Amino acid sequence: MQAYAPGRVELLGNHTDYNDGVVLAAAIDRGITLEGDLSGNGIILLTSNGEQVRHDLEYRWPEPLTHSTWANYPLGVVRMLLEEGYEISGFSATISSNLMTGAGLSSSAALEVATCLLIEKLAGFSLEPMARAKLCRRAENEFVGVNCGLLDQASSVFGAENAAIHLDCRAETVETVPFPEGFALLITNSGVKHELTGGEYNERRNQCFEAASILGVKALRDTTSAALLAADMPDVTRRRALHVTGEIERVQAGVQMLKAGDGNGFGRLMFESHESSRKNFENSTPELDALVEIARSTAGVFGSRLTGGGFGGATVSLIDPQQADAIIARFAEEYQKITGITCQTYLTTLAEGAH
């Protein structure tokens, strides 16, 4: 039995998900595949890149590992399913991926979603799609220890061919928005590993909650950039919150631009988003900034920004597919000159979700 879940690229809506906001993302044509069978003996055997992790369910439920930490993502899904009352008798699974890890393309969520789908098929039960996404988020929150929102898992579950995903994180609803013809997405890995288990992510999250508390609102979804500018709060807290409210406003504008086929306008929003990440949220890096500045001066590029949590990883650029070869060559040449790093680039299509 096989289960596959794609990675995702965040188009607009950076760090809005845990602020009850809205996000635009897309599932991409690369992801993670699990191939497995029931073991029937209560043993979980996970294999990835030649490394194996074994867990005996008859002995105890999974607990987070301090070694082979990649296995915490599938083991976290197992733990959440057990807590929900589902019966799992044990299984073996081999994990393979063509998704760049450490690039901010949500390989962790893809692994969680693929694991959940495989277990469902092997054990003979089926979760509703949103319930699957929410259970996988719980695994990352409660087992892995990253307080992410719903974006990554929902994008992997609800991906659609040639369409962006408009996620309302408060209502927990998904709308697919057709992507305009004549535009393509180029993902460029900065070569600086993206790692959200560090303290920066949780620190930014807490600063957003602090701003909402000062304003007396449930979440930053419930305020505006204008209200933040008028409020009395620490400067760093205000800047973090301004990034989120600005992103929510950009998503709302971006949905309308996609529906109108206005790729040029959407690209301008992407550049604005990155500038806010750089100045207000401070989750960019010099390498990501360099890639975006190269994009600004490259013919055939309409917009570019960091994608995902930031602190390393990749950028996503909206480009003219007919100029893709020249764009890729210029990115590689200029980035090498500026940083001394060889970047990885690939064109991606907006793809189907987990299956």
Side-chain angles (χ1 to χ4, degrees):
M1 181 74 69
Q2 282 191 345
Y4 167 84
R8 69 95 186 92
V9 61
E10 175 198 275
L11 302 175
L12 285 172
N14 187 246
H15 287 265
T16 60
D17 54 355
Y18 54 80
N19 289 291
D20 280 0
V22 287
V23 195
L24 270 170
I28 61 175
D29 59 353
R30 296 193 180 199
I32 290 180
T33 300
L34 268 66
E35 184 165 356
D37 291 295
L38 289 171
S39 64
N41 58 4
I43 301 296
I44 296 173
L45 187 64
L46 302 170
T47 304
S48 176
N49 293 322
E51 182 182 0
Q52 287 193 335
V53 169
R54 184 180 186 274
H55 180 81
D56 188 345
L57 283 175
E58 300 297 326
Y59 174 63
R60 60 179 170 82
W61 285 4
E63 297 289 345
L65 303 177
T66 56
H67 60 88
S68 303
T69 52
W70 59 267
N72 282 332
Y73 299 99
L75 289 177
V77 172
V78 172
R79 178 63 181 259
M80 297 306 117
L81 287 168
L82 290 171
E83 289 184 5
E84 291 287 331
Y86 293 100
E87 294 187 6
I88 302 173
S89 61
F91 64 95
S92 62
T94 300
I95 301 164
S96 59
S97 173
N98 63 356
L99 188 64
M100 289 187 292
T101 59
L105 302 177
S106 200
S107 56
S108 58
L111 179 51
E112 291 156 0
V113 171
T115 300
C116 191
L117 195 56
L118 179 68
I119 295 171
E120 289 177 57
K121 297 304 177 185
L122 291 177
F125 61 86
S126 182
L127 300 180
E128 290 297 321
M130 186 56 78
R132 182 179 304 127
K134 290 165 72 174
L135 183 137
C136 291
R137 175 187 59 181
R138 274 190 61 210
E140 190 140 352
N141 291 170
E142 299 176 19
F143 196 88
V144 179
V146 176
N147 290 318
C148 63
L150 191 58
L151 165 66
D152 297 347
Q153 293 80 9
S155 299
S156 190
V157 169
F158 287 99
E161 191 173 353
N162 297 321
I165 302 155
H166 179 211
L167 171 66
D168 186 318
C169 300
R170 172 169 286 170
E172 296 182 337
T173 56
V174 171
E175 172 193 14
T176 54
V177 184
F179 205 71
E181 294 184 6
F183 297 90
L185 296 175
L186 179 69
I187 296 171
T188 308
N189 189 356
S190 69
V192 177
K193 187 175 180 181
H194 158 91
E195 182 60 77
L196 278 190
T197 53
E200 298 94 341
Y201 180 95
N202 290 336
E203 178 187 51
R204 298 300 190 278
R205 180 186 174 99
N206 290 335
Q207 288 166 332
C208 291
F209 294 164
E210 178 190 3
S213 177
I214 290 171
L215 290 170
V217 296
K218 180 181 178 182
L220 291 177
R221 167 74 172 267
D222 302 310
T223 190
T224 64
S225 297
L228 282 164
L229 289 169
D232 181 16
M233 67 177 65
D235 177 66
V236 67
T237 305
R238 188 195 322 276
R239 287 190 290 110
R240 302 298 188 250
L242 280 171
H243 175 67
V244 172
T245 56
E247 283 292 275
I248 291 171
E249 292 156 8
R250 281 184 282 273
V251 168
Q252 292 165 340
V255 168
Q256 299 309 312
M257 288 178 178
L258 289 181
K259 289 180 177 179
D262 184 5
N264 288 281
F266 193 86
R268 288 192 294 271
L269 293 175
M270 293 173 72
F271 279 132
E272 290 175 14
S273 172
H274 185 82
E275 185 64 9
S276 179
S277 283
R278 187 182 71 82
K279 292 177 64 176
N280 289 331
F281 218 65
E282 296 182 285
N283 62 328
S284 187
T285 65
E287 295 82 6
L288 292 169
D289 293 342
L291 284 171
V292 172
E293 287 309 306
I294 293 166
R296 285 185 191 275
S297 62
T298 300
V301 179
F302 306 101
S304 188
R305 63 185 290 274
L306 64 81
T307 185
F311 308 110
T315 62
V316 57
S317 301
L318 186 68
I319 71 165
D320 175 358
Q322 295 185 345
Q323 300 184 61
D325 290 345
I327 292 167
I328 290 170
R330 186 168 192 276
F331 274 32
E333 179 181 0
E334 294 301 316
Y335 189 65
Q336 177 74 37
K337 285 181 185 176
I338 295 168
T339 67
I341 300 171
T342 301
C343 63
Q344 295 173 285
T345 57
Y346 67 87
L347 280 174
T348 186
T349 58
L350 288 71
E352 179 186 1
H355 55 275

Coordinates of all heavy atoms in Angstrom, one line a residue, residues 146-195:
V146 N 6.3 21.8 18.0 CA 6.3 23.1 17.2 C 4.8 23.6 17.1 O 3.9 22.9 16.7 CB 6.8 22.8 15.7 CG1 6.7 24.1 14.9 CG2 8.2 22.4 15.8
N147 N 4.6 24.8 17.6 CA 3.3 25.3 17.7 C 2.8 25.9 16.4 O 2.4 27.1 16.3 CB 3.2 26.4 18.8 CG 3.3 25.8 20.2 OD1 2.7 24.7 20.4 ND2 4.1 26.4 21.1
C148 N 2.8 25.1 15.3 CA 2.4 25.6 14.0 C 0.9 25.7 13.9 O 0.2 25.2 14.7 CB 2.9 24.7 12.9 SG 2.2 23.0 13.0
G149 N 0.4 26.5 13.0 CA -1.0 26.6 12.7 C -1.4 25.5 11.7 O -0.7 24.5 11.5
L150 N -2.5 25.7 11.0 CA -3.1 24.6 10.2 C -2.6 24.7 8.7 O -2.9 23.8 8.0 CB -4.6 24.8 10.3 CG -5.5 23.6 9.7 CD1 -5.2 22.3 10.4 CD2 -7.0 24.0 9.8
L151 N -1.9 25.7 8.4 CA -1.6 25.9 7.0 C -0.9 24.7 6.3 O -1.4 24.3 5.2 CB -0.6 27.1 6.8 CG 0.1 27.3 5.5 CD1 -0.9 27.6 4.4 CD2 1.1 28.4 5.6
D152 N 0.1 24.2 6.9 CA 1.0 23.2 6.2 C 0.2 21.9 5.9 O 0.2 21.4 4.8 CB 2.2 22.9 7.0 CG 3.1 24.1 7.1 OD1 2.9 25.1 6.4 OD2 4.0 24.1 7.9
Q153 N -0.5 21.5 7.0 CA -1.2 20.2 6.9 C -2.4 20.3 5.9 O -2.7 19.5 5.1 CB -1.6 19.7 8.2 CG -0.5 19.3 9.1 CD 0.2 20.4 9.8 OE1 -0.2 21.6 9.8 NE2 1.3 20.1 10.5
A154 N -3.1 21.5 6.0 CA -4.3 21.7 5.2 C -3.9 21.8 3.7 O -4.6 21.3 2.8 CB -5.1 22.9 5.6
S155 N -2.8 22.5 3.5 CA -2.3 22.6 2.1 C -2.0 21.2 1.5 O -2.3 21.0 0.3 CB -1.1 23.5 2.0 OG -1.3 24.8 2.5
S156 N -1.4 20.4 2.3 CA -1.0 19.0 1.8 C -2.3 18.2 1.5 O -2.3 17.4 0.6 CB -0.1 18.3 2.8 OG 0.4 17.1 2.3
V157 N -3.3 18.4 2.4 CA -4.5 17.6 2.3 C -5.4 18.1 1.1 O -5.9 17.3 0.3 CB -5.3 17.6 3.6 CG1 -6.7 17.1 3.4 CG2 -4.6 16.8 4.7
F158 N -5.5 19.4 1.0 CA -6.5 20.0 0.1 C -6.0 20.5 -1.2 O -6.7 21.2 -2.0 CB -7.2 21.2 0.8 CG -8.2 20.7 1.9 CD1 -7.8 20.8 3.2 CD2 -9.4 20.3 1.6 CE1 -8.7 20.4 4.2 CE2 -10.3 19.9 2.6 CZ -9.9 19.9 3.9
G159 N -4.7 20.2 -1.5 CA -4.1 20.7 -2.8 C -5.0 20.4 -4.0 O -5.6 19.3 -4.0
A160 N -4.9 21.2 -5.0 CA -5.7 21.0 -6.2 C -4.9 21.4 -7.4 O -4.1 22.4 -7.3 CB -7.0 21.8 -6.2
E161 N -5.0 20.7 -8.5 CA -4.2 21.0 -9.7 C -4.6 22.4 -10.3 O -5.7 22.7 -10.4 CB -4.5 19.9 -10.7 CG -3.6 19.9 -11.9 CD -3.9 18.7 -12.9 OE1 -4.7 17.8 -12.5 OE2 -3.2 18.7 -13.9
N162 N -3.5 23.1 -10.6 CA -3.6 24.5 -11.2 C -4.5 25.4 -10.3 O -5.2 26.3 -10.9 CB -4.2 24.3 -12.6 CG -3.3 23.6 -13.5 OD1 -2.0 23.7 -13.4 ND2 -3.8 22.8 -14.4
A163 N -4.5 25.3 -9.0 CA -5.3 26.1 -8.2 C -4.5 26.4 -6.9 O -3.8 25.6 -6.3 CB -6.6 25.5 -7.9
A164 N -4.7 27.6 -6.4 CA -4.2 28.0 -5.0 C -5.2 27.6 -4.0 O -6.4 27.4 -4.3 CB -3.9 29.5 -5.0
I165 N -4.8 27.5 -2.8 CA -5.6 27.1 -1.6 C -5.8 28.4 -0.8 O -4.8 28.9 -0.3 CB -5.0 26.0 -0.8 CG1 -4.7 24.8 -1.7 CG2 -5.8 25.6 0.4 CD1 -3.6 23.9 -1.2
H166 N -7.0 28.8 -0.6 CA -7.4 29.9 0.3 C -7.9 29.3 1.6 O -9.0 28.8 1.6 CB -8.4 30.8 -0.4 CG -8.8 32.0 0.4 ND1 -10.0 32.6 0.3 CD2 -8.1 32.7 1.3 CE1 -10.1 33.6 1.2 NE2 -8.9 33.7 1.8
L167 N -7.1 29.4 2.6 CA -7.5 28.8 3.9 C -7.9 29.9 4.9 O -7.1 30.8 5.1 CB -6.3 28.0 4.5 CG -6.4 27.5 5.9 CD1 -7.5 26.4 6.0 CD2 -5.1 26.9 6.4
D168 N -9.1 29.7 5.4 CA -9.5 30.6 6.5 C -9.3 29.8 7.8 O -9.9 28.8 8.1 CB -11.0 30.9 6.4 CG -11.5 31.9 7.4 OD1 -11.1 31.8 8.6 OD2 -12.3 32.8 7.1
C169 N -8.3 30.3 8.6 CA -7.8 29.5 9.7 C -8.8 29.6 10.9 O -8.7 28.7 11.8 CB -6.4 29.9 10.1 SG -5.2 29.7 8.8
R170 N -9.6 30.6 11.0 CA -10.6 30.7 12.0 C -11.8 29.8 11.7 O -12.2 29.0 12.5 CB -11.1 32.1 12.2 CG -12.2 32.2 13.2 CD -12.5 33.7 13.6 NE -11.5 34.1 14.6 CZ -11.3 35.4 14.9 NH1 -12.1 36.3 14.4 NH2 -10.4 35.7 15.8
A171 N -12.3 29.9 10.5 CA -13.5 29.1 10.1 C -13.1 27.7 9.8 O -13.9 26.8 9.8 CB -14.2 29.7 8.9
E172 N -11.8 27.5 9.6 CA -11.2 26.2 9.2 C -12.0 25.7 7.9 O -12.5 24.5 7.8 CB -11.3 25.1 10.3 CG -10.4 25.5 11.5 CD -10.4 24.6 12.6 OE1 -11.4 23.8 12.7 OE2 -9.5 24.6 13.4
T173 N -12.0 26.6 6.9 CA -12.6 26.3 5.6 C -11.5 26.5 4.5 O -10.6 27.3 4.7 CB -13.8 27.1 5.3 OG1 -13.4 28.5 5.4 CG2 -14.9 26.8 6.3
V174 N -11.7 25.8 3.4 CA -10.8 25.9 2.3 C -11.5 26.2 1.0 O -12.6 25.6 0.7 CB -10.0 24.6 2.1 CG1 -9.2 24.6 0.8 CG2 -9.1 24.4 3.3
E175 N -11.0 27.2 0.3 CA -11.6 27.5 -1.1 C -10.4 27.4 -2.0 O -9.3 27.8 -1.8 CB -12.1 29.0 -1.1 CG -12.5 29.5 -2.5 CD -12.7 31.0 -2.5 OE1 -12.3 31.7 -1.6 OE2 -13.2 31.4 -3.6
T176 N -10.6 26.7 -3.2 CA -9.6 26.7 -4.2 C -9.8 27.8 -5.2 O -11.0 28.1 -5.6 CB -9.6 25.3 -5.0 OG1 -10.9 25.1 -5.5 CG2 -9.2 24.2 -4.0
V177 N -8.7 28.5 -5.6 CA -8.8 29.7 -6.4 C -8.0 29.3 -7.7 O -6.8 29.1 -7.6 CB -8.2 30.9 -5.7 CG1 -8.3 32.1 -6.6 CG2 -8.8 31.1 -4.4
P178 N -8.6 29.3 -8.9 CA -7.8 29.0 -10.1 C -6.6 29.9 -10.3 O -6.7 31.2 -10.0 CB -8.9 29.3 -11.2 CG -10.2 29.1 -10.5 CD -10.0 29.6 -9.1
F179 N -5.5 29.3 -10.7 CA -4.3 30.1 -10.9 C -4.3 30.6 -12.3 O -4.6 29.9 -13.2 CB -3.1 29.2 -10.6 CG -1.8 29.9 -10.2 CD1 -1.7 30.5 -9.0 CD2 -0.8 30.1 -11.1 CE1 -0.6 31.2 -8.6 CE2 0.4 30.8 -10.7 CZ 0.4 31.3 -9.5
P180 N -3.9 31.9 -12.5 CA -4.0 32.4 -13.9 C -3.0 31.7 -14.9 O -1.9 31.4 -14.5 CB -3.6 33.9 -13.7 CG -2.9 34.0 -12.4 CD -3.4 32.9 -11.5
E181 N -3.4 31.6 -16.1 CA -2.6 31.0 -17.1 C -1.5 32.0 -17.5 O -1.6 33.2 -17.3 CB -3.4 30.7 -18.4 CG -4.4 29.6 -18.2 CD -5.1 29.2 -19.5 OE1 -4.8 29.8 -20.5 OE2 -6.1 28.4 -19.4
G182 N -0.3 31.5 -18.0 CA 0.8 32.3 -18.4 C 1.7 32.7 -17.3 O 2.6 33.5 -17.5
F183 N 1.5 32.1 -16.1 CA 2.4 32.3 -15.0 C 2.9 31.0 -14.4 O 2.1 30.0 -14.4 CB 1.7 33.2 -13.9 CG 1.3 34.6 -14.3 CD1 0.1 34.8 -14.9 CD2 2.2 35.6 -14.2 CE1 -0.3 36.0 -15.3 CE2 1.9 36.9 -14.6 CZ 0.6 37.1 -15.2
A184 N 4.1 31.0 -13.8 CA 4.6 29.8 -13.2 C 5.3 30.1 -11.9 O 5.6 31.3 -11.6 CB 5.6 29.1 -14.1
L185 N 5.5 29.1 -11.0 CA 6.1 29.3 -9.8 C 7.5 28.7 -9.8 O 7.7 27.5 -10.2 CB 5.3 28.7 -8.6 CG 4.0 29.3 -8.3 CD1 3.3 28.4 -7.3 CD2 4.1 30.7 -7.9
L186 N 8.5 29.5 -9.4 CA 9.9 29.0 -9.3 C 10.3 29.0 -7.9 O 10.3 30.0 -7.2 CB 10.8 29.9 -10.1 CG 12.3 29.5 -10.1 CD1 12.5 28.2 -10.9 CD2 13.2 30.6 -10.7
I187 N 10.7 27.8 -7.4 CA 11.2 27.7 -6.0 C 12.7 27.7 -6.0 O 13.3 26.9 -6.8 CB 10.6 26.4 -5.3 CG1 9.1 26.5 -5.2 CG2 11.2 26.2 -3.9 CD1 8.4 25.3 -4.8
T188 N 13.3 28.5 -5.1 CA 14.8 28.6 -5.1 C 15.2 28.4 -3.6 O 14.9 29.1 -2.7 CB 15.3 29.9 -5.6 OG1 14.7 30.2 -6.8 CG2 16.8 30.0 -5.6
N189 N 16.0 27.3 -3.4 CA 16.5 27.0 -2.1 C 17.7 27.8 -1.8 O 18.7 27.7 -2.6 CB 16.8 25.5 -2.0 CG 17.1 25.1 -0.6 OD1 17.2 25.9 0.4 ND2 17.3 23.8 -0.4
S190 N 17.7 28.6 -0.7 CA 18.8 29.5 -0.4 C 20.1 28.7 0.0 O 21.2 29.2 0.0 CB 18.4 30.4 0.7 OG 18.3 29.7 1.9
G191 N 19.9 27.4 0.4 CA 21.0 26.6 0.9 C 21.2 26.9 2.4 O 22.1 26.2 3.0
V192 N 20.4 27.7 3.0 CA 20.5 27.9 4.5 C 19.3 27.1 5.1 O 18.1 27.4 4.8 CB 20.3 29.4 4.9 CG1 20.3 29.6 6.4 CG2 21.5 30.2 4.3
K193 N 19.6 26.1 5.9 CA 18.5 25.2 6.3 C 17.5 25.9 7.2 O 17.8 26.7 8.1 CB 19.2 24.1 7.1 CG 18.1 23.0 7.5 CD 18.8 21.8 8.2 CE 17.7 20.7 8.5 NZ 18.3 19.6 9.2
H194 N 16.3 25.6 6.8 CA 15.1 26.1 7.6 C 14.8 25.2 8.7 O 14.7 24.0 8.5 CB 13.9 26.2 6.6 CG 12.6 26.2 7.2 ND1 11.9 27.4 7.6 CD2 11.7 25.2 7.5 CE1 10.7 27.1 8.1 NE2 10.6 25.8 8.0
E195 N 14.7 25.7 9.9 CA 14.5 24.8 11.1 C 13.6 25.6 12.1 O 13.9 26.6 12.7 CB 15.8 24.5 11.8 CG 15.7 23.6 13.0 CD 15.1 22.3 12.6 OE1 15.8 21.4 12.0 OE2 13.9 22.1 12.9

